[in-house]
Amino acid sequence: CERCQCHGEDKRTAILYSLLSQNLSQSLSHQRCLCQQRRTVCLRTPHSTCQAASNVLVKTISFMRNLPSFHLLPREDQLLLLDRCWVPLFLLGLVQEMVTFEVMETPAPSMLKKILLDGQSKGQEPEQTQPTLAAVQQLQRCLNTFWNLDLSPKEYAYLKGAVLFDPDVPGLRAALYIESLQQEARRALQEVVQPLHPEDQGRFARILLISSTLKSIPPSLVTDLFFRPLIGGADIVALLGEMLSQRPG
């Protein structure tokens, strides 16, 4: 990325630059970087992908809401677990439902448009953030790793329980009880894995290890990529909390 703004600035200027140098000098600092780490992307088919993602999210919240052991937790603990665990649970749902997606580079506004609209945009809310290509590729690598595991429905169910009941979430009132629920889910997962794959002694540990990588995916990435086109600037965790409050069905 030799001409990327991250690595320096081309001092040779065009006539337009000379005429409008004051505005351009401000605009160049916000110009979209060409390197992979900063290049922004969006969904290639946002309508169908966002709809599929929304269906997975609804199933994820229904899974949590319909678990008797989760439903009996204090409301405060439910919300803390929701805030920490909705992303890895949602990603497991994407894998289980075989939801695939492609991205494309986000169209950048022309330099002239930036210059002309610069004065009008001052004082307004900042533009909506866009996922970077590097971040989306990391997400896709995590999902591909899970697809390669080819989990059974029972493996998914018990793994989701082990992910949901995370006793390390700060502020939990029933942390010891939640820890016992996680241990119970892990034991159930191990009892399912061993007869299904007797030749693969390391599968259980590998499943837990790979599932921990899902926690490295930022919630902001998942929100901006799959849900921001639908919910705008709304707080997705607040919306999920409202969904969680609905009666089990």
Side-chain angles (χ1 to χ4, degrees), residues 158 161-162 181-191 204 208:
Y158 292 127
L181 292 174
Q182 185 183 69
Q183 293 174 349
E184 181 180 342
R186 288 181 174 179
R187 282 195 299 268
L189 174 62
Q190 189 171 23
E191 291 174 359
F204 172 69
L208 292 183

Side-chain angles (χ1 to χ4, degrees), residues 78-110:
Q78 293 182 27
L79 294 177
L80 287 172
L81 292 176
L82 172 68
D83 186 35
R84 175 65 67 89
C85 301
W86 78 267
V87 169
L89 289 175
F90 166 74
L91 296 178
L92 284 175
L94 283 185
V95 178
Q96 187 175 13
E97 299 290 331
M98 300 296 291
V99 176
T100 60
F101 61 94
E102 295 182 359
V103 295
M104 62 181 184
E105 191 169 351
T106 307
S110 68

